[in-house]
């Protein structure tokens, strides 16, 4: 591309340098400058008389000295960062002279800089001017090109003057127009340009000594070859183009507009100086006459300075110069041009922001972006340019291109500024593209996710929706928002997929139940979860699942609450199982991970499923073939108390009973849980009984009765009584009272209910244990004529017989009870009265006979005692009862009419009187009885116990009185 076709800008501020004093001004105006170089913050000017003048920042001559006595200084080189200066003077009558100066080491006598070394440059004793000169930074090697086509390389230590070697490395018939060193860590290569060739030769390193190698059969004019110190490239300017060369060969190039006399580099720019056009053409003469004749001579003969940026392919500055350019140099951060009339122009690059503004004004945003990137502008500022470019394209109506720029600036752009521009339905595709990029870069908010999913729904683009929610890598959107929007848009399968993928198990169940109404799959999904995760999901949706899947839901409840819950494992096709076994552990692990992603047999988990916005999915079938279901590992968890599940079974009594009965069979139940289960199950049995009639009611009541039978049933009696009362379950009440010993309460419950048959049944069942029921039954039977009629005379007679036999009531009490109302007639109790009176008469007669017998016996004993005390006793015994022999003296006679040999009687050890051996036994018994009565006289507890146990208390009192317990002992 020719320079004329490149965009031209004015990136530089041009100003003429104002020289500091008259001396400096006079030096520049006298046109005595023969060479220029810069470095170390100073400008060095060589003159025709061999003097070197140093210019400071104030553009004043701060120092001057005579470097050469003869000849003009044609080349100079200052080593940056040091005080070393290399000067070369030429006098065609002698060989060129090269000197190295130490500017910081003045000679004490003269004050001039110290000359470190001096040498004559060898050209084979041929007197030709130097056409080019270059040197390495350390001055270890220098190269000098001559107009006769020779190139001399100087090696050595010029700084310490330890000797040098010169060698002519190249000779040709064409004059040398340029020499430049390119050095790297291993090689030092010298590039040589002539008017017809460009060559390179290695002067140090591997390949040294080899002949020069021609790079291109085209040379360049003098001053048209330079080195880009920033990149290490050799720049060669020809009339047709500007070429870049590296060690590998020719690089990029760009077209040139014509003849170039001088080239230099400044930062990333290439400065090209074009000489004035050749005069004498007829066309130019006519133009000069048209625009003012001779006065325009200088305008049309002006040189031209062009500064281009090859990277951006722009002309950064271009101007015409009235005077011919002598030198181009850069110092103090700017580029300077010295013209032949002694003037110095300063070219200061505008700031980056100013250059960008120039590009903005012409809407050249691609150039602005390239400029910002090349200048190292931070991304945030680059994004501003992208945004401006996007706004420009949007105003032009190029929405696709505008969106591409907005996306590039997405990191530092408020999304709402862009989104507002693309809310039109016709630009919804651009909006989707922007929102997708926001999510890709993790900059999307919940609102952005909502908007993107709404766009998908509006376009009904299920494929993009699937791709968005199933994107790999980190989560790029707000999960909750995405799920909510999918559910609102009817994409239930996609919502369930997201919830499943990211472990939101409760949301999966909620979607399957609330949206898809697929209760069986929801229950199956819960059954695939581990114990800790499945429990909250099961409890949350228990009522709905029981309503729609009662049997399976009850089963999972039973398994979980009895501690036998095992998660179901996804069924694996037999082919995959065989692959696992044949591929080893690693392959098996990989397939196992894949199986986890297909945990649910849901349509959206199968590639063959067709998603539909309505949420309805076609049933999908996995690959045909044998199916293996691996066993699930035992889940270790603590089952919750069964009470926590009770509320879930509201309105489902049959399933509730199944659950309770299954829990009751668990041996690991706690006592508190058993109480809850027994009580609740008893209540449910009664509830079912209350809903049934006939045989079915009796069956449920029988179950309830069996449940509470036994002494080890852990259910409180108060609960049984309350529930039985509320359900009118009398057997339950009765059973509890029986177990509690409340027999009289059972009887009273029948009498209160006027249940005569129940009363008779309770009397027969509990009468032996509770005799007082008979007096109560007597009062109940005679309380009402209908009750008495229902009970019958025989039952009344049986009650009276029992009362009479056991003495439960005195006859008078019976008469009083029966006489309290007019229900019982005299004929009903006549047998009882007759029997009672007859028995009492017999008892009175028997008592009288016994009294007479006791009186006679008492009178007989009293008479005998009196006779013994008043009359002598006659002993007529003839034999001794002890030995059976005839009674002989000495003999002992007792008042009891017994006589013994004295020898047959045993003397007592304590010396007391001898007692009749025959009567001693009876006497001892009587004495013991008397002693016992005396001891019992103070034992009131024995008397009280006898009263409580005796049937006839009066008889007991009389008996104890007759035994002398209540009296005092007078005679032993």
């Amino acid at each position: 591309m020719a320079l004329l076709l490149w965009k031209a800008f004015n990136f530089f501020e041009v100003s003429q340098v104002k020289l500091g004093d008259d001396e400096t001004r006079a030096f520049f105006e006298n046109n005595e400058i023969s060479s220029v170089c810069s470095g170390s913050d100073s400008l060095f000017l060589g003159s025709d008389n061999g003097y070197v003048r140093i210019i400071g920042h104030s553009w004043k001559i701060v120092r001057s000295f005579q470097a050469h006595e003869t000849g003009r200084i044609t080349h100079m080189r200052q080593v940056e960062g040091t005080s070393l200066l290399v000067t070369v003077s030429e006098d065609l009558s002698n060989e060129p002279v090269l000197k190295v100066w130490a500017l910081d080491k003045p000679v004490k006598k003269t004050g001039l800089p110290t000359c470190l070394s001096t040498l004559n440059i060898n050209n084979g004793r041929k007197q030709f001017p130097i056409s080019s000169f270059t040197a390495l930074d350390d001055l270890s090697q220098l190269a000098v090109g001559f107009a006769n086509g020779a190139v001399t390389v100087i090696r050595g230590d010029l700084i310490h003057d330890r000797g040098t070697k010169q060698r002519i490395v190249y000779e040709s018939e064409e004059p040398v127009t340029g020499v430049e060193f390119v050095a790297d860590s291993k090689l030092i290569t010298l590039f040589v340009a002539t008017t017809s060739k460009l060559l390179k030769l290695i002067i140090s390193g591997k390949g040294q000594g080899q002949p020069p190698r021609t790079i291109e059969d085209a040379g360049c004019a003098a001053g048209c070859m330079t080195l880009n110190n920033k990149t290490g490239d050799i720049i060669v300017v020809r009339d047709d183009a500007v070429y870049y060369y590296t060690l590998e060969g020719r690089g990029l190039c760009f077209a040139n507009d014509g003849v170039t006399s001088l080239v230099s580099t400044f930062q990333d720019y290439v400065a090209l100086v074009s000489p004035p056009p050749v005069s004498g053409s007829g066309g130019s003469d006519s133009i000069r006459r048209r625009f003012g004749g001779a006065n325009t001579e200088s305008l049309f003969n002006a040189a031209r300075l062009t500064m281009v940026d090859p990277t951006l392919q722009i002309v950064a500055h271009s101007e015409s110069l009235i005077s011919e350019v002598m030198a181009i140099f850069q110092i103090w951060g700017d580029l300077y041009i010295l013209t032949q009339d002694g003037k110095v122009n300063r070219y200061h690059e505008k700031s980056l922001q100013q250059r960008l503004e120039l590009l903005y004004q012409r809407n050249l945003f691609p150039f602005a972006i390239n400029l910002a990137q090349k200048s190292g502008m931070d991304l945030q500022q680059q994004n501003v340019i992208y945004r401006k470019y996007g706004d420009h394209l949007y105003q032009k109506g190029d929405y696709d291109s505008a969106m591409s720029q907005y996306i590039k600036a997405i990191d530092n752009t408020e999304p709402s500024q862009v989104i507002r521009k693309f809310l039109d339905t016709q630009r919804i595709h651009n909006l989707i593209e922007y929102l997708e990029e926001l999510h890709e870069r993790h900059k999307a908010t919940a609102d952005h996710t909502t908007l993107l999913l709404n766009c998908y729904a509006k376009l009904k683009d299920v494929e993009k929706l699937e791709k968005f929610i199933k994107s790999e890598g980190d989560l790029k959107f707000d999960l909750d928002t995405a799920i909510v929007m999918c559910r609102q848009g009817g994409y239930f399968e996609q919502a369930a997929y997201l919830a499943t993928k990211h472990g939101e198990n409760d949301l999966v169940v909620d979607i399957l139940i609330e949206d898809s109404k697929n209760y069986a799959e929801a229950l199956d999904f819960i059954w695939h979860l581990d114990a800790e995760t499945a429990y909250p999901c099961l409890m949350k949706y228990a009522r709905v699942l029981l309503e729609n899947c009662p049997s399976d839901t009850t089963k999972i409840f039973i398994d979980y609450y009895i501690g036998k819950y095992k998660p179901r494992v996804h069924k694996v096709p037999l082919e995959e199982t065989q692959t696992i076994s044949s591929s080893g552990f690693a392959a098996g692990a990989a397939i196992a991970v894949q199986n986890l992603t297909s945990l649910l047999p849901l349509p959206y988990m199968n590639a063959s499923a067709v998603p539909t916005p309505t949420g309805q999915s076609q049933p999908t079938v996995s690959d045909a073939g044998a199916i293996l279901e691996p066993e699930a590992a035992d889940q270790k968890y603590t089952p919750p108390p069964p009470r926590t599940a009770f509320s879930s079974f509201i309105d489902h009594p049959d399933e509730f009973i199944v659950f309770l009965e299954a829990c009751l069979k668990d041996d690991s139940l706690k006592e508190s849980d058993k109480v809850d289960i027994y009580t609740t199950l008893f209540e449910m049995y009664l509830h079912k009984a209350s809903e049934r009639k006939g045989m079915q009611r009796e069956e449920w009541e029988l179950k309830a009765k069996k449940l509470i039978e036994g002494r080890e049933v852990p259910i409180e009696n108060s609960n049984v009584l309350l529930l039985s009362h509320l359900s009118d379950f009398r057997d339950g009440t009765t059973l509890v009272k029986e177990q509690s010993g409340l027999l009289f309460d059972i009887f009273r419950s029948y009498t209160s209910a006027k249940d005569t048959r129940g009363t008779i049944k309770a009397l027969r069942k509990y009468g032996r244990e509770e005799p007082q029921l008979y007096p109560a039954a007597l009062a109940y039977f005679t309380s009402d004529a209908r009750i008495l009629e229902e009970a019958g005379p025989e039952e009344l007679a049986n009650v009276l017989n029992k009362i009479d036999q056991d003495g439960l009531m005195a006859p008078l009490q019976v008469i009083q009870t029966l006489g309290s109302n007019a229900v019982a007639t005299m004929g009903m109790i006549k047998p009882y009265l007759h029997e009672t009176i007859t028995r009492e008469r017999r008892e009175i007669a028997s008592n009288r006979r016994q009294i007479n017998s006791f009186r006679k016996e008492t009178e007989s004993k009293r008479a005998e005692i009196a006779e013994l005390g008043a009359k002598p006793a006659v002993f007529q015994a003839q034999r001794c009862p002890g030995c059976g022999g005839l009674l002989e003296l000495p003999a002992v006679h007792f008042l009891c009419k017994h006589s013994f040999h004295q020898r047959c009687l045993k003397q007592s050890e304590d010396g007391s009187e001898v007692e009749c051996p025959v009567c001693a036994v009876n006497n001892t018994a009587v004495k013991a009885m008397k002693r016992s009565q005396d001891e019992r006289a103070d034992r009131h507890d024995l008397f009280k116990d006898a009263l409580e146990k005796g049937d006839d208390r009066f008889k007991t009192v009389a008996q104890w009185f007759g035994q002398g317990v209540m009296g005092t002992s007078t005679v032993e």
Side-chain angles (χ1 to χ4, degrees), residues 4-20:
L4 294 176
L5 299 180
W6 285 7
K7 300 288 185 182
F9 303 94
N10 188 16
F11 282 177
F12 286 86
E13 297 175 350
V14 184
S15 61
Q16 184 177 341
V17 176
K18 185 178 181 181
L19 302 179

Side-chain angles (χ1 to χ4, degrees), residues 220-496:
C220 65
C224 293
M225 176 179 174
T226 188
L227 173 67
N228 189 337
N229 293 318
K230 190 173 183 180
T231 62
D233 296 337
I234 298 296
I235 300 177
V236 176
V237 181
R238 303 188 183 100
D239 294 346
D240 60 339
V242 178
Y243 298 90
Y244 282 72
Y245 294 92
T246 64
L247 294 175
E248 288 75 21
R250 192 171 78 176
L252 65 88
C253 65
F254 56 91
N256 192 12
D257 289 335
V259 179
T260 301
S261 60
L262 191 62
V263 62
S264 180
T265 60
F266 174 68
Q267 297 179 3
D268 295 330
Y269 301 103
V270 177
L272 302 174
V273 177
S274 301
V278 179
S279 60
S281 63
S284 61
D285 291 340
S286 62
I287 294 175
R288 278 196 295 272
R289 286 194 299 269
R290 185 181 303 174
F291 285 96
N295 294 332
T296 62
E297 180 82 21
S298 60
L299 178 62
F300 286 97
N301 290 334
R304 187 161 195 84
L305 171 66
T306 305
M307 299 182 67
V308 298
D309 188 337
T311 305
L312 300 179
Q313 295 185 349
I314 61 172
V315 177
H317 182 76
S318 179
E319 68 170 323
S320 297
L321 300 173
I322 302 299
S323 180
E324 185 178 350
V325 177
M326 291 182 59
I328 300 178
F329 57 91
Q330 50 182 306
I331 190 173
W332 303 311
D334 293 327
L335 182 70
Y336 294 88
I337 289 182
L338 175 62
T339 60
Q340 198 167 11
D341 58 2
K343 296 181 180 179
V344 179
N345 292 336
R346 173 177 174 264
Y347 294 86
H348 176 73
E349 185 183 25
K350 294 180 180 180
S351 66
L352 177 60
Q353 190 60 41
Q354 289 176 321
R355 285 177 280 162
L356 291 174
E357 290 295 335
L358 292 175
L359 297 173
Y360 295 159
Q361 292 173 5
R362 296 170 61 177
N363 294 325
L364 298 176
F365 294 100
F367 289 95
I369 293 170
N370 293 334
L371 175 61
Q373 292 175 346
K374 189 191 75 169
S375 303
M377 179 180 283
D378 59 32
L379 295 178
Q380 185 174 0
Q381 292 177 323
Q382 289 185 35
N383 290 337
V384 175
I385 304 175
Y386 287 125
R387 190 161 58 248
K388 288 178 178 291
Y389 191 19
D391 293 340
H392 171 68
L393 294 173
Y394 182 84
Q395 292 176 357
K396 291 174 61 178
D398 189 355
Y399 302 115
D400 294 339
S401 300
M403 178 52 69
S404 65
Q405 300 303 318
Y406 286 134
I407 289 177
K408 292 178 181 179
I410 200 169
D411 290 335
N412 303 104
T413 304
E414 174 60 36
S416 60
Q417 297 178 0
V418 179
I419 293 173
R420 290 193 192 99
K421 298 180 178 181
F422 292 89
L423 290 177
D424 193 337
T425 306
Q426 296 178 353
R427 296 189 281 274
I428 192 171
H429 293 284
N430 301 120
L431 179 59
I432 289 176
E433 182 182 4
Y434 187 78
L435 292 172
E436 287 177 343
E437 189 65 23
L438 279 177
H439 286 84
E440 187 69 26
R441 302 196 185 190
H442 300 279
K443 293 183 175 296
T445 64
D447 293 335
H448 298 147
T449 303
T450 302
L451 182 57
L452 178 58
L453 295 177
N454 278 330
C455 291
Y456 287 149
K458 194 175 188 66
L459 296 179
K460 297 182 179 180
D461 194 340
V462 180
E463 181 179 355
K464 275 197 172 183
L465 176 61
E466 291 274 351
K467 182 179 178 181
F468 174 71
I469 67 175
K470 295 182 180 180
S471 57
E472 299 295 333
D474 298 335
L475 189 63
K476 302 170 183 176
F477 48 85
D478 184 74
L479 179 62
D480 295 336
T481 302
I483 294 175
V484 170
M485 293 308 302
C486 286
R487 296 177 68 180
Q488 291 180 356
Y491 296 96
F492 304 135
E493 295 173 4
Q494 287 76 10

